Amino acid sequence: MNVSSELSRQFQAIWNRASNTYVRQEITSALVEKWATAFGIHDAIVEESSVGRFVAIPVVVLRTGDTRAIFPKVPYRKDSAWQSRRLAMDAQAALWAKAEWFSPLWVGMADASKLLRDIRQASGERAIKLFHYHTSTLYTVPFQAVCIAQILSQAPSLKELVPLAREAYLAFYSGHRASSIAALIPALEGGLSRILPHAGTDPLFVRIDRIFDKAIDTASEWHFEMRGEDRTWVPREYLTCDYLFSQDEVVFALETYRRWLKTSFFADTERYDGPTALNRHMFAHNTHLSWQQSSNFERLVVALATLGFVESWYDGTHAISPFFPKMNEDSKLLWQQALLRGNLQGAVKRIEEKHYHESGRLVPELPTDDGVLLRKAVLVQECMRDLVRPLRDAGWSIEVGDPDDRALFMIVRARAVDRRLKVALLYSCATANTLYQELAETCDAILYVGAPYNQSQYAYNISVHVGPVLGWQPPRASGRRKPIWKIGECLLRALRAVFRSMPRRTTSERH
């Protein structure tokens, strides 16, 4: 505050009088001027105004010399408007906690509101799925590239982690997803340690509180425009997180981020059971493998970038803006590098899939990739090309079902005027006989993608046709197309009818 102890004592006495007086009457500039004189401030200039960077409140401002004091007209604990805002922000913070996240920086208010609205009535697991659905279009591949190349490099505690983050980013989009997540989990803890390098013996939560308390102190000074050499006095309770949580968006973001660190990321394993499993101790002690979920990578990139923002408020440099930076050439090249690796990885996966498929096996699951998406793509593509097209050409009306949850098969239903046909298409000939038996009960034919692979070992005791889709000729739909000779008969009858209806000419007319 840079206010002398004598003035601080006098201002506090005025505020105590104002707080007690509010029960009987509103605090006015006349009252504050009267009390200032009574407490020995004779050169006071008093006026009514409003302060607050995000939510402004009415105040009385007292100036004496080069110092000013701010006295809220309504003590916030007696202010119904503040109480309503606090309830609303507490509810919003609870929704972010349900999503195992914090109030996000660099996301538009409309997008954040839509996300919160969708998860309000959802269960915990459903809320996480909705969160990932919404953030898939927010925390995109280029967004992550900007976080790594342009934000982390601005934070002293994270600058040396940039090469690691770049490598993890490129490795993630090269297919090494679990290892990329594993590389960034300790990086978040390392960043916190670098912000307070000489507090290694203090408990972790104590260090976290020291960092965030100081960052919120800086934010409170900005809230009341107490920057630089200004000598400003504000009642101490108005500089706390308790008051500013519902008044200042930066404080709200900082505090919800602190809560996420303490109740989710660094929570003791016996106290944590969140669906994301993004927990430092679960990872370190390998008590649960769900931390390997692919979505945790983008969470970690954003969490690291947000830690850089916290540090910029902790040290007062404000080097990292609350406004997302425009992509520069470095970020663009990193993004393009990831796209290139992703395309190469896609080609590699298709080659691997083909190799395993020819051997009658599925590609083994990885912690972050069970192979379902690729099998679905292959199955749907083969179905449309080698099954749906021939059926359509044979005159059938087609209804194509979705692949099952594991992308092992899909069903195609064909209809004609007086006939129905149901065909199952398997991803591979080497499919369990139990599935063959189940499909044979309702299907007219069971086909599979690719060449036969020991078909007799899998498709035994099956009464319907089984074979490769490429070797199957669908029957022609009845009632849809007439034979060519019947079309000729119809045309001949039509021509005869036309000639009969024409008027006949007399002998004289013909001559």
Side-chain angles (χ1 to χ4, degrees), residues 475-505:
R476 186 163 294 279
S478 61
R480 294 296 299 271
R481 295 182 180 178
K482 294 185 177 181
I484 294 177
W485 66 271
K486 286 191 176 183
I487 294 175
E489 284 186 357
C490 291
L491 181 59
L492 183 59
R493 283 197 298 270
L495 290 173
R496 285 174 179 170
V498 170
F499 281 120
R500 289 195 193 101
S501 64
M502 293 177 64
R504 297 178 180 277
R505 291 185 294 174

Side-chain angles (χ1 to χ4, degrees), residues 184-194 204 207 265-266 280:
L184 293 188
I185 290 177
L188 188 58
E189 184 174 1
L192 282 166
S193 299
R194 289 181 183 86
L204 176 62
R207 283 179 279 156
F265 187 78
F266 287 116
R280 173 70 176 84

Side-chain angles (χ1 to χ4, degrees), residues 24-82:
R24 301 186 301 275
Q25 59 182 313
E26 185 179 273
I27 301 168
T28 64
S29 56
L31 281 174
V32 171
E33 186 173 8
K34 175 183 175 182
W35 295 329
T37 302
F39 287 111
I41 303 174
H42 300 288
D43 62 343
I45 300 173
V46 183
E47 62 181 355
E48 296 191 8
S49 183
S50 61
V51 297
R53 186 169 45 161
F54 293 99
V55 180
I57 60 171
V59 299
V60 175
V61 180
L62 183 156
R63 300 181 186 277
T64 174
D66 60 351
T67 304
R68 67 170 182 156
I70 295 174
F71 301 101
K73 290 175 66 67
V74 180
Y76 77 87
R77 294 191 182 279
K78 303 172 184 178
D79 185 355
S80 59
W82 176 86

Side-chain angles (χ1 to χ4, degrees), residues 88-158:
M89 299 310 289
D90 282 340
Q92 188 179 132
L95 290 176
W96 286 120
K98 181 192 283 190
E100 289 193 57
W101 205 228
F102 44 84
S103 180
L105 303 168
W106 314 307
V107 170
M109 185 176 295
D111 292 324
S113 298
K114 186 177 180 181
L115 190 161
L116 294 177
R117 184 169 60 251
D118 283 357
I119 70 174
R120 184 169 286 111
Q121 302 300 327
S123 64
E125 291 192 5
R126 176 62 178 163
I128 297 298
K129 292 179 180 179
L130 288 170
F131 175 87
H132 294 153
Y133 168 77
H134 284 280
T135 55
S136 64
T137 58
L138 300 174
Y139 297 151
T140 58
V141 182
F143 184 99
Q144 296 166 32
V146 172
C147 286
I148 293 170
Q150 294 177 237
I151 296 180
L152 298 190
S153 59
Q154 299 299 313
S157 66
L158 302 174

Side-chain angles (χ1 to χ4, degrees), residues 26 56 64 71 144 190 198 259 289 344 409 423 427 432 477 498:
E26 185 179 273
T64 174
F71 301 101
Q144 296 166 32
H198 304 297
R259 293 180 184 182
L289 297 179
L344 291 174
F409 72 93
V423 181
Y427 171 78
V498 170

